[in-house]
Amino acid sequence: MTITEENPTAAGAPSFDSLDPRTGAVVATHPIHDEADVRVAVARAREAATWWSGLTYAERADRLGAWKSLVTQRLDELAGVMSAETGKPHGDALLEAALAIDHLAWASGHAKKVLKRHKVPSGLVMANQKATVEFRPLGVIGVIGPWNYPVFTPMGSIAYALSAGNAVVFKPSEYTPGIGLWLAKTFTEAVGKPVFQVVTGLGETGSALCRSGVDKLAFTGSTATGKKVMAACAESLTPVLIEAGGKDALIVDEDADLDAAADGAVWGACGNAGQTCAGVERVYVHEKVYDEFLVKIVEKAKGLQASDDEGSQIGPITMPSQVDIIRRHIDDAIAKGGRAILGGPEAVGDRFVQPTILVDVPADSTAWTEETFGPTMTVAKVASMDEAVARTNDSRYALGSAVFSKSRGMQIAERLRVGMTSINGVITFAGVPSLPFGGIGDSGFGRIHGPEGLKEFTYAHAITKQRMKPLLALTTFDRTEKAEQQLGKMMKMLHGRGGKK
Ligand code: NDP
């Protein structure tokens, strides 16, 4: 067994291997941190948080800037670790890491503007008060991350929590521990204090983090695990942020640029081997362009080959158990009368799944209702955009979505009950750091990214300061009858007009 330098495993202590999903080879061996280990990390983080939160925004931004530069300089090395643990092509790894760096820059650069104490109107009744609010760090944030975007996804919490002045203890997925450790190692190199630490292990280590006394737990992963995390955190009233699964729809209107829509659909469905929370899984196409659209997506997708060949655009399915889920969804669609116009049951191999396009699939098939997380898409013909909107909204998941339309993209987008929509593009919202990212329903709640993502890791501290004696002394036992009458008059003047008499 290899014992990594960054994460030494004591002799005889429990450990686990991280594997290269392309070959099954062991990448490295890491310790399974237990409850006591996690508590030690959180205690260390709490001490570091005192120092970190005491710095000015500029001082924190300087240090996060140093980390950002280091990660950028070693981007190729990071992409290499990402490819080894997830199997994703080097180019995809680079893109993912680049987007994460951009978010780190935005979060540290905007924290002061979004969070610092600022004045708010105090209103007529409290006109003698100066009212201000500041968003202060919570303390120590626990972050639990998935394996599919092992840098970009957790960094949506880590970068924003750190920028807001918190310390972070991160538990990466058991499939991608080396990536988490790489991030923590470079942070320590740049900053020098345990403000950002990593604990490694399996689900129990994540569960221990939920119960470790952290001040908030940011979870990204499946809806099922999200429920367990929430239940564990409820024991200590630890607040949670849940970024869970999706079953995102792409809508194609009759006036859409069909080449762009086909390109977006195929990349959105098959990019990262379909293992994208906001990936395209459902497609609703206007009947007037349905046949033409099908020809275009088959044409585009049939040139793609999932393999471990150098230069392949689609890598393996990272988590072996996911292959069965993908197979079951395709089988269910076919058994219920659907057709595969590309791929199908035979496209599902041991480690690799070839692009699969399903049509004529009944609405109760899991290919429509459950997250597949593979390079597949299920396509349906719709009579109108009203039908497309209704079917998109008819899902227990509600994360992202995409609309292709030349004339009414915004009109359609505004009717979708989802957290994010990209018009004439796919998943573009994730790359805009100033936009909040997150879902509703079974896709979770709370937001990473943008001002909302910074505030997510803070609490609001409201302060009023008396500027002058009040015109109406109301908050005293010396309140006079006259003051009460004047209050009544003022209320009638302010709020009593309009409506039914
Ligand atoms: P899982 O839910 O299996 O695991 C997520 C994390 O939770 C892992 O670190 C896992 O550890 C940990 N974990 C497992 N059991 C527990 C537990 N009882 N208590 C605490 N933590 C636990 O998800 P995947 O890793 O398979 O990730 C894929 C899922 O993530 C998909 O559903 C995808 O849609 C979703 N996702 C959502 C995103 C979003 O922003 N909405 C973004 C990216 C992915 P271990 O791996 O060691 O078991």
Side-chain angles (χ1 to χ4, degrees), residues 144-148 171 173-174 202 206 220-222 225 244-245 277 371 437:
I144 297 179
W147 45 265
N148 60 337
K171 147 72 177 86
S173 162
E174 69 196 65
L202 314 180
T220 308
S222 62
T225 310
C277 54
E371 185 180 49
F437 183 102

Side-chain angles (χ1 to χ4, degrees), residues 16 143-150 152-154 170-176 200-211 217 219-226 228-230 232 242-247 275-279 281 319 321-322 371 373 397 399 420 437-439 442-444 448-449:
F16 70 107
V143 176
I144 297 179
W147 45 265
N148 60 337
Y149 288 95
F152 180 73
T153 296
F170 172 39
K171 147 72 177 86
S173 162
E174 69 196 65
Y175 297 98
T176 54
T200 54
L202 314 180
E204 292 74 41
T205 307
S207 181
L209 187 56
C210 297
R211 295 183 166 91
L217 197 292
F219 169 81
T220 308
S222 62
T223 306
T225 310
K228 288 186 199 162
V229 162
M230 208 172 155
I242 304 281
E243 295 288 351
K247 188 77 187 172
Q275 304 163 116
T276 303
C277 54
E281 298 216 355
M319 188 168 68
S321 58
Q322 195 68 31
E371 185 180 49
F373 233 49
Y397 294 108
L399 191 58
M420 294 89 51
F437 183 102
D442 272 11
S443 293
I448 53 172
H449 304 173

